[in-house]
Amino acid sequence: MGKLQSKLKHSTYKYRPDGIIEERIQNKSSQEYSPAHVDTVSVVAALNSDLCVSGGKDKTVVAYNWKTGNVVKRFKGHEREITKITCIPKSTQFFSASRDRMVLMWDLHGSSQPRQQLSGHAMVVTGLAVSPDSSQLCTGSRDNTLLLWDVETGQCVERASVSRNLVTHLCWVPREPYILQSSEDKTIRLWDSRGLQVAHVFPTKQHIQTHCEASTDGHKCISCSSGFGGEGCEATLWDLRQTRNRICEYKGHFQTVASCVFLPRALALMPAIATSSHDSKVKIWNQDTGACLFTLSLDGSGPLTSLAVGDTTSLLCASFHRGIYLLTMDHSRGLQLGEVATF
């Protein structure tokens, strides 16, 4: 299962400091690797610096080596589309969630059968988050409920429900007992895992909050919004410390922003975030000023569904029509983002 050379046309835009001049750049050809999936990819997550795990409408979880362009292992156990995947840090284990209302635990070095099957939600599971010490898993659903699980035993230890709180994503704050949660009720909630109680609700936005992510130092978080025609379609930076205020907004997408990530300093050389949208664009933003530093338009991708940091130079981006994109940052001519491969 080797690499195939393919020249793919797409547009990139570099934003100058004066905010006026826009430069069109012709990218080099990219590689077309062996495909990971046969249908829409809903989610991608980095397992380590070589491997990612992904899932989608084909109901299969795939472990993939993006540096060699090969499938490492396929995991089958879900009966419907896979919605979320989260990895246990510094481990070969990970969890997947599905529209079949199940959460399955897998081990890359184990059998192709799930290590655990967690059943407790009445509707599609739309949020997964592992605690920093890897002892607990939090799951969320469109049934308005969050469940807290003991990873070792697979037992549900806490349950909480908030009316009309249709969960869209979960993220555990590093080194803290807190869990971030985005919702279709247009809010971001901060939950205290000690008793699974709501600790804070951030100011309500104008549109559905589709995703949330915490910074590695646990001081900030970002969320992103649904929208159309430029209405909504933004990412928002929030303070997780005492004030818990809105810090900055990032506007420039024209459709729903589906995913947002903090970029490691080694990747961007400055505090920066990346967003991916249903408008087929990935944008890099200056975290402090809100300025868009670079836009990569992935023509033919369809809506972009998920974004993950791969290693110190790479991003992974899942899409409706073109599988998963491997993107790299280049600083040789200023900050640029380019497509390296699809799989």
Side-chain angles (χ1 to χ4, degrees), residues 207-262:
H207 295 80
I208 290 171
Q209 297 301 283
T210 58
H211 190 90
C212 56
E213 189 83 11
S215 60
T216 54
D217 61 11
H219 294 168
K220 299 179 179 69
C221 70
I222 44 176
S223 66
C224 45
S225 296
S226 67
F228 186 77
E231 284 291 322
C233 314
E234 78 272 5
T236 305
L237 182 69
W238 306 91
D239 190 348
L240 281 177
R241 291 168 292 184
Q242 290 183 351
T243 62
R244 292 177 176 167
N245 291 333
R246 185 179 69 184
I247 301 172
C248 190
E249 285 201 331
Y250 311 92
K251 296 184 177 182
H253 285 291
F254 287 91
Q255 294 187 43
T256 291
V257 181
S259 191
C260 49
V261 295
F262 287 93

Side-chain angles (χ1 to χ4, degrees), residues 59-61 75-79 100 104 106 112-114 117:
K59 301 176 284 189
T60 303
V61 177
F75 303 86
K76 295 186 177 181
H78 286 294
E79 296 179 356
D100 63 12
L104 303 181
W106 309 92
S112 296
Q113 299 299 313
Q117 299 185 44

